Amino acid sequence: MTIDASGAGILLIIAIMTLVTLLTRYGGVLAMSFVRISPRIESFINTMASSVLIAIIVPMAVQGDAGALAALVATAVVMLALRKPLPAIAAGLVAAAGVRYLL
Amino acid sequence: MTNTTYSYQLQPAKIRYEFFRLLPISLFVVAFGMAFGLAAVQKGLEPMQAVLMSTTVFAGASQFATLDMWGSQVAVLPLIAVVFAINSRHLLMGASLYPMLKDVAPAKRYAMLLLLTDANWAVSAQEYQNGRRNLEVIIGGGFVLWLAWIVGTLLGVYFSRLLQDPQSLGLDMVLGCFLLAMALGGNKSPRVLVAWLVAGLSSLAAYYWLPPHTHVVVGALAGGVVGYFWLEAKPQ
């Protein structure tokens, strides 16, 4: 099944994307409302939460270019040293821009 | 009012505070939005169609990915599969907020979830790890991120020459660096570090060997399994 990418077709495509995305924003919360939150489930979702971040970042670091890796390393070092996110992110951007300029 | 039975009272002043707290990161989101707007018109979308998509979908990675599938015709099932796979991390993000969200009246709960995205969720989840309950950042922070995404798209479709090469400025790494800073600002017990190791290795394995766009969910669930079997020691 295909949709013509023109006029009303594009509106239909956008509507489908909106509905699917809305389903993901609501689905996890709806599902949890049927689960009894035991300490074990609470532990699962807490560990899962920070693991979401790691699961986004690690492939980004491994398959990205040298600039991407430099950005993440610089962010990690500054964050662990200063414990402030904005300087850490700024250091990451400077590192990425610098490495990409030099290479 | 039924919300007297829900214990989480949303504070309007804190919502405004969180709006301004995420304003700096939102400026970078404007740059992403410009890159999306530029890519969208290059693929043949009308400017206002791109802006409409950013307004109603509000999920950048999936929007970029659908542009890769764009042609004179778009296949529906692959479109649904790709959008669902990339955005399925929202399922886990929403679930992780449930211990707080269950204390909010359903109408407000599902209204604020419209604004759920990576950056405001990361702040809320990190604060929850550190013992603070902050749903206001989902609303205030989400609103400023949403506005930034729309404004960025609007600038990108009309003034694309302003930002030809966002990568040379490192702007493609803003979200990655932000999420990493959030992760490192949270709880780092041995239990969490083991979960991260498992999550990182699982996401890499999924990245290389499983279908595209599954690695975030696979890695996150694998990390969660560590938490399921290894409970935090009770505070003394």
Side-chain angles (χ1 to χ4, degrees), chain A residues 1-5 10-11 13-14 16-18 20-22 24-30 32-33 37 40 42-60 62-63 68 71-72 75-76 79 83 85 89 92-93 96-97 100, chain B residues 28 49 52-53 56-58 66 71-76 80 83-84 87 90-92 94-95 98 110 113-114 116 121 128-129 167-168 170 172-174 177-178 180-181 184 188 191 195-196 199 203-204 207-208 215-216 220 223-225 227-229 231:
Chain A
M1 192 166 59
T2 59
I3 300 175
D4 282 329
I10 289 183
L11 295 183
I13 291 167
I14 294 173
I16 291 171
M17 291 173 66
T18 302
V20 172
T21 307
L22 192 63
T24 63
R25 285 200 167 97
Y26 282 176
V29 178
L30 268 174
M32 287 304 293
S33 62
I37 314 237
R40 217 170 256 286
E42 173 113 34
S43 175
F44 172 81
I45 57 182
N46 283 335
T47 326
M48 178 192 75
S50 64
S51 297
V52 170
L53 301 173
I54 300 304
I56 293 172
I57 294 160
V58 169
M60 198 185 265
V62 172
Q63 57 86 46
L72 295 171
T75 297
M79 186 65 196
R83 314 207 129 264
I89 296 160
L93 298 195
R100 284 170 183 165
Chain B
F28 292 113
Q49 290 168 341
L52 176 68
M53 189 192 287
T56 62
V57 179
F58 184 41
T66 42
S72 60
Q73 294 199 313
V74 175
V76 176
I80 291 174
V83 173
F84 184 80
N87 291 334
H90 291 141
L91 294 166
L92 307 183
Y98 189 73
Y110 289 103
L113 283 169
L114 294 171
L116 179 71
W121 169 79
Y128 188 69
Q129 300 286 319
Q167 295 212 349
S168 70
D172 57 314
M173 292 308 296
V174 175
C177 291
F178 181 81
L180 179 59
L184 294 176
K188 291 182 290 292
R191 166 176 158 276
W196 286 2
S203 68
L204 270 185
Y207 187 84
Y208 288 114
H215 63 278
V216 176
V225 168
Y228 186 82
F229 289 109
L231 295 184

Side-chain angles (χ1 to χ4, degrees), chain B residues 79-139:
Chain B
L79 175 83
I80 291 174
V82 164
V83 173
F84 184 80
I86 294 177
N87 291 334
S88 55
R89 68 187 189 289
H90 291 141
L91 294 166
L92 307 183
M93 289 158 50
S96 76
L97 298 180
Y98 189 73
M100 286 184 279
L101 286 169
K102 70 174 167 33
D103 295 333
V104 178
K108 287 180 184 170
R109 184 189 307 164
Y110 289 103
M112 76 170 76
L113 283 169
L114 294 171
L115 294 171
L116 179 71
T117 185
D118 299 302
N120 57 349
W121 169 79
V123 174
S124 187
Q126 187 231 27
E127 295 203 0
Y128 188 69
Q129 300 286 319
N130 294 334
R132 293 190 298 273
R133 290 157 68 90
N134 186 352
L135 287 176
E136 284 83 354
V137 72
I138 301 295
I139 305 171

